[in-house]
Amino acid sequence: MNLYSVSSVRKQFSFKHSLRALVRPLLVFLFLMTCYHTLMMNGVVPSSEGLNIQQSNIIKIEKYVYTNSPYEMILTGSSRTAKIESDYFGQAQVANIGIRGGASQTGLVLVNRNHNKPSIVLVEVNGTIVQGVNRELVETAYHPVFSLVRRYLPMFKQEYQPVAVAIEILKNWQGISAEKLEQQRVNELLTNPQMKENTLRPVLEERREKFTVKQINQLTQEAQILKNKIAEIESQGVRVILFDVPGDSLIDKTPQRIQEKELMKQLFPPENYEWLPEHPPREWITTDGIHLARSEARKYASFIRNYLGDF
């Protein structure tokens, strides 16, 4: 027999064997993905809020970008705004794209890139604007390849990542929820003055000092960027309203916080920008002096609704 022919037959056999070895796991993978997708679409697989801050932010952005709904109002800002859940506004179509550890600039970039513009955009304006635009989050949401995959195959979104979903199922089974955990903490703060004092002390110490010249310059630079983004959105017929989420009264009375409010009103003068009115004085309940407890965030959402009426 010709040695070349024998070698050729062996190569063909080897190729077919290798191909068969690849096809089997591929079919298994496709079968499992199909099952997972079916379970997800039928609500058996729950969505997750994320295992960490970064993943939670990505999930929030993906919901806004890929849903592409005609929202009536959008809230942008930092983690302070993030506490004001969309469903606190009742039946209104509201999206909250407040970024934990971020700023309003990121949200405005996303609103500008979305062709469905809302009637109203609420923009949180305070010292958090120094964080600037989170480019990584924006690029993740609009990746030229992955964004198409996630848009048409939701199981590839962060909220349906298997590990995050498994932990979400475990939490639900154990009756653990973020709401319950937060309420436990709030109850402890309300009944334990020493615990509240210990919680507020670091924030009070940090805010005791006024802004440095360098910090004021950074805030001024970011304010100009924010102004440009606001002007771009307003030019498309969107009503932009600035606001600042209240916090614990002790924190709001610190020198830095007072200076912060004054500086923002100077950079965004009320005669040129619409500001949400200050909420009548009250003792706001927070989890750390800065972030409103969920029950308080609901009350603040009600205040916003009353101001805006029927939008």
Side-chain angles (χ1 to χ4, degrees):
M1 181 180 288
N2 190 304
L3 292 178
Y4 176 79
S5 298
V6 173
S7 176
S8 177
V9 170
R10 286 178 177 174
K11 286 181 179 179
Q12 291 178 10
F13 176 79
S14 177
F15 174 75
K16 290 180 179 179
H17 181 74
S18 299
L19 186 62
R20 190 178 296 112
L22 289 173
V23 169
R24 185 172 298 173
L26 179 60
L27 290 175
V28 172
F29 172 78
L30 291 175
F31 173 75
L32 292 175
M33 288 298 98
T34 301
C35 290
Y36 190 75
H37 179 75
T38 302
L39 291 172
M40 184 202 71
M41 295 302 292
N42 285 281
V44 178
V45 174
S47 62
S48 167
E49 293 301 319
L51 301 176
N52 50 52
I53 290 177
Q54 179 66 4
Q55 189 177 47
S56 295
N57 285 337
I58 293 174
I59 289 172
K60 176 173 288 190
I61 297 308
E62 285 182 347
K63 285 181 178 179
Y64 170 67
V65 172
Y66 301 146
T67 301
N68 208 21
S69 298
Y71 293 107
E72 299 173 66
M73 182 173 73
I74 294 175
L75 288 82
T76 67
S78 68
S79 55
R80 301 180 192 179
T81 293
K83 294 297 293 287
I84 310 170
E85 300 286 351
S86 301
D87 59 11
Y88 296 169
F89 293 89
Q91 299 300 315
Q93 293 298 309
V94 177
N96 184 326
I97 48 177
I99 305 300
R100 294 167 66 188
S104 292
Q105 293 93 307
T106 302
L108 292 183
V109 168
L110 295 169
V111 173
N112 267 321
R113 295 191 64 163
N114 196 323
H115 69 273
N116 279 331
K117 295 295 186 291
S119 300
I120 299 173
V121 173
L122 281 171
V123 182
E124 179 191 337
V125 178
N126 49 44
T128 62
I129 66 172
V130 78
Q131 300 296 331
V133 178
N134 188 323
R135 298 291 178 187
E136 184 180 353
L137 271 180
V138 176
E139 290 169 4
T140 297
Y142 287 99
H143 190 281
V145 176
F146 297 135
S147 62
L148 288 174
V149 174
R150 296 183 190 118
R151 190 181 296 274
Y152 297 107
L153 292 173
M155 65 179 174
F156 289 105
K157 294 179 181 179
Q158 286 292 318
E159 64 182 309
Y160 292 111
Q161 292 301 299
V163 174
V165 168
I167 292 177
E168 192 70 28
I169 292 173
L170 182 61
K171 286 181 179 178
N172 292 339
W173 179 67
Q174 294 180 333
I176 299 173
S177 68
E179 289 85 354
K180 285 185 178 180
L181 293 174
E182 182 187 283
Q183 191 56 53
Q184 289 176 6
R185 176 173 176 78
V186 169
N187 291 339
E188 290 174 353
L189 289 171
L190 291 174
T191 57
N192 188 337
Q194 186 60 51
M195 182 179 179
K196 180 177 180 180
E197 182 182 338
N198 293 338
T199 300
L200 295 183
R201 186 182 299 116
V203 185
L204 288 170
E205 291 178 355
E206 179 187 350
R207 306 263 171 152
R208 189 171 291 124
E209 300 295 328
K210 289 188 174 183
F211 290 124
T212 64
V213 174
K214 181 179 179 180
Q215 288 173 316
I216 292 176
N217 289 337
Q218 290 175 333
L219 285 168
T220 303
Q221 290 172 6
E222 286 299 331
Q224 186 56 54
I225 294 173
L226 187 55
K227 287 178 181 180
N228 294 338
K229 297 188 182 305
I230 288 173
E232 186 176 353
I233 291 176
E234 287 182 326
S235 67
Q236 299 173 71
V238 179
R239 179 185 176 188
V240 176
I241 304 173
L242 312 187
F243 74 108
D244 185 13
V245 185
D248 189 279
S249 60
L250 291 176
I251 304 299
D252 281 348
K253 292 175 183 176
T254 57
Q256 187 183 109
R257 181 68 169 137
I258 293 172
Q259 182 191 24
E260 179 184 46
K261 289 184 176 182
E262 292 174 349
L263 179 60
M264 291 303 112
K265 287 297 175 69
Q266 291 173 14
L267 294 171
F268 299 89
E271 57 267 28
N272 298 330
Y273 296 90
E274 181 180 0
W275 279 83
L276 191 71
E278 289 280 344
H279 190 284
R282 71 183 300 274
E283 195 61 40
W284 293 99
I285 300 172
T286 68
T287 56
D288 55 7
I290 297 174
H291 300 92
L292 293 175
R294 292 171 189 267
S295 58
E296 300 294 277
R298 284 183 181 275
K299 293 174 183 176
Y300 192 67
S302 178
F303 168 71
I304 294 174
R305 285 204 316 270
N306 291 335
Y307 174 74
L308 295 177
D310 296 327
F311 295 18

